[in-house]
Amino acid sequence: MSTFAVFGMTRGYAISSARRQVPTRIRGEDLTPEEWEAAVNIRADAIMNGSRIIQLCKPFDAPQFAHEFIRLMREQEECRDLCIRARAPKKDATGQPLKNKKTGAPVIGWQDWKAA
């Protein structure tokens, strides 16, 4: 059974990530709350303009649930690069499945999913 998840970036995640990254002191001086919020918004804008994506939800059993999640996310908040990925064996450049060197089991990871 396949597992599907939605990957991308949302404004809410960018702001929470920026809050963790922006310091409250710069050059030995405390920032005022307004200055800190402005710095957080600048950092959140930089994250939204970047190319990094994250897993936005817990895995779904079927791709139609992932499509529904994407539709709801687009209605609720600013987001970018939303895509569906499925857990599948990773493949090398020749198309052969990668195997764990120690156990010989196939290496499983998130792969872009295309509707058939």
Side-chain angles (χ1 to χ4, degrees):
M1 177 184 229
S2 296
T3 303
F4 301 90
V6 177
F7 285 75
M9 182 60 67
T10 64
R11 182 76 179 172
Y13 182 83
I15 289 173
S16 67
S17 180
R19 284 188 174 139
R20 289 189 303 270
Q21 295 173 1
V22 174
T24 57
R25 294 180 65 112
I26 296 181
R27 293 183 218 106
E29 292 187 27
D30 288 337
L31 295 176
T32 65
E34 294 80 22
E35 291 172 335
W36 184 77
E37 277 297 326
V40 166
N41 285 329
I42 290 170
R43 180 68 186 133
D45 290 340
I47 291 170
M48 285 301 289
N49 290 330
S51 61
R52 179 175 178 244
I53 61 173
I54 58 157
Q55 183 175 342
L56 296 174
C57 62
K58 293 186 177 188
F60 297 111
D61 291 340
Q64 64 264 25
F65 301 126
H67 283 293
E68 182 70 14
F69 183 83
I70 288 174
R71 185 184 66 76
L72 291 172
M73 287 302 297
R74 286 191 174 136
E75 289 175 1
Q76 291 179 0
E77 68 177 310
E78 180 185 353
C79 50
R80 66 164 170 81
D81 300 336
L82 297 180
C83 63
I84 298 172
R85 291 187 176 177
R87 300 255 317 154
K90 291 188 174 187
K91 299 187 181 202
D92 61 10
T94 63
Q96 297 296 320
L98 292 175
K99 300 214 182 248
N100 184 309
K101 292 179 183 177
K102 190 172 186 179
T103 64
V107 176
I108 305 293
W110 290 107
Q111 309 295 322
D112 286 335
W113 180 76
K114 304 274 191 276

